[in-house]
């Protein structure tokens, strides 16, 4: 498909943000809707003031912009929880600590639209930034262990995956291409037939030695002193060139 | 062949390799630039890699040739790559080092070389990734010059994705701005 290049690599950050807006979040509504809310994705119970309701993030933000609700900060986004996660992130060198799949997007949307609902928003922002940097450097370590089969990264968020995806997938294919010569490699779907040369003598310095080779199915050696067939062929090619 | 229409793959196969012919071949002397009819046994000269492969791999009759290991796959570069892959200037050696290495290894069996190349690629990969995420540093150009084409494509991909995340963080998506061409025009007038 003829997509622009920046769309070929997967999702764009804006698309990921859109996906994250479907996550449920707790709000305290300031309005009474009286009836249940029938949405395409399902029915939400009616919003009542002084009660907490779970609604999709997009609805929470929309209500927030109309000053019709307060958003409750998710448990993982409080300063205490983030401090704990950050400490865990820094002590454990290999594993990612647990964070929601959409944590970057949700945090960004909340910090952008519901600043007044977040106690100590600045501290939260700093902690999130530190956390992201710690995780990013861990993802970078992952390059080191990029092997031929797979790479394990638990608890990584969608935005983080999407950031390293173009780089990692391309690098992965290149590594696989670099090891075609391994015999019996199941991923090997190259056009060249190695068995054909299975018998040929290959000297250690990497030369293709055609000197004393016998072909696989017992044909004459490559370097027979007379080349009856090929001589005719080469002459005819040259002839056509001159014409 | 998966890479049939890939222009980079075609360019990668266009490297010259030095070949020694082991037998007289009538009618091929023009390859060497001579006007005689037959190519003498034992003559050595550069031919493109794709031609060498055709000569060796032809279904019906094969021509006995020795392909010499190119200098950039030779022991000197190999040792340099083993010692510290990050400092080797691959563009100087061969701009399509890894790509050509792949097709070269499909024809020539050289387990040591494939090992060296894989290890070197992995070692350099980490350096490339570090550079994509650290943004534009002062020593980037120096380092970019040492990358081969494959790595450069990787660097570009990494740069683009981290730039788009950065933009998203700065809330600069969805904002309406004048196109860069318009700004240039305004400056010119």
């Amino acid at each position: 498909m003829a997509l622009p290049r920046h769309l070929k690599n997967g999702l764009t950050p804006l698309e990921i943000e859109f996906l994250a807006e479907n996550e449920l979040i707790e709000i305290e509504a300031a309005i009474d809707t009286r009836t249940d809310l029938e949405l395409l994705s399902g029915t939400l119970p009616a919003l009542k003031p002084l009660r907490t309701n779970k609604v999709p993030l997009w609805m929470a933000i929309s209500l927030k912009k109309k000053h019709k609700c307060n958003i409750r900060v998710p448990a993982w986004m409080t300063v205490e929880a983030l401090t704990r996660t950050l400490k865990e992130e820094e002590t454990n060198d290999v594993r990612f600590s647990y964070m929601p799949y959409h944590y970057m997007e949700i945090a960004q949307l909340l910090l952008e639209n519901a600043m007044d609902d977040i106690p100590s928003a600045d501290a939260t922002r700093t902690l999130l930034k530190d956390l992201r940097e710690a995780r990013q450097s861990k993802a970078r370590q992952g390059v080191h262990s990029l092997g031929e089969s797979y790479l394990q990264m638990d608890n990584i968020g969608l935005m983080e995956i999407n950031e390293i995806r173009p780089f990692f997938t391309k690098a992965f294919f290149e590594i696989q291409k670099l090891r075609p010569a391994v015999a019996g490699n199941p991923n090997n779907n190259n056009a060249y037939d190695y068995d054909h040369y299975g018998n040929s003598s290959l000297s250690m310095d990497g030369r293709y030695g055609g000197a004393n080779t016998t072909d696989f199915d017992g044909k004459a050696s490559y370097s027979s002193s007379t080349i009856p067939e090929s001589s005719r062929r080469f002459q005819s090619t040259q002839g056509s060139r001159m014409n | 062949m998966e890479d049939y229409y890939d222009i980079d793959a075609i360019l990668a196969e266009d490297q010259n390799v030095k070949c020694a012919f082991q037998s007289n071949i009538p009618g091929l002397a023009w390859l060497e630039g001579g006007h005689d009819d037959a190519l003498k046994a034992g003559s050595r000269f550069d031919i493109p890699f794709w031609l060498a492969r055709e000569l060796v791999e032809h279904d019906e009759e094969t021509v006995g040739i020795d392909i010499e290991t190119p200098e950039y796959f030779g022991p000197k570069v190999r040792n340099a790559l083993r010692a510290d892959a990050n400092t080797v200037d691959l563009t100087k050696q061969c701009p399509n080092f890894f790509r050509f290495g792949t097709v070269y290894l499909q024809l020539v069996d050289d387990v040591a070389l494939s090992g060296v190349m894989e290890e070197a690629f992995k070692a350099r990969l980490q350096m490339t990734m570090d550079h994509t995420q650290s943004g534009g540093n002062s020593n980037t150009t120096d380092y970019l010059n040492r990358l081969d084409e494959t790595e450069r494509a990787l660097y570009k991909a990494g740069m683009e994705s981290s730039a788009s995340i950065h933009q998203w963080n700065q809330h600069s998506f969805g904002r309406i701005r004048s196109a860069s061409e318009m700004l240039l025009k305004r400056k010119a007038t």
Side-chain angles (χ1 to χ4, degrees), chain B residues 52-120:
Chain B
R53 189 176 62 203
E54 282 309 308
L55 290 177
V56 169
E57 284 203 326
H58 198 273
D59 288 339
E60 288 146 33
E61 60 280 299
T62 41
V63 183
I65 56 172
D66 269 341
I67 300 175
E68 285 183 19
T69 311
E71 211 174 293
Y72 38 85
F73 292 148
K76 207 171 160 195
V77 178
R78 277 186 212 195
N79 284 338
L81 283 175
R82 266 196 212 111
D84 188 358
N86 287 346
T87 52
V88 181
D89 186 345
L90 282 187
T91 313
K92 216 195 260 167
Q93 303 298 339
C94 169
N96 283 309
F97 188 83
F98 288 111
R99 246 180 199 273
F100 179 55
T102 319
V103 282
Y104 180 79
L105 284 171
Q106 282 167 353
L107 186 67
V108 178
D109 216 353
D110 191 338
V111 182
L113 178 61
S114 87
V116 167
M117 284 193 25
E118 196 188 325
E119 286 309 312

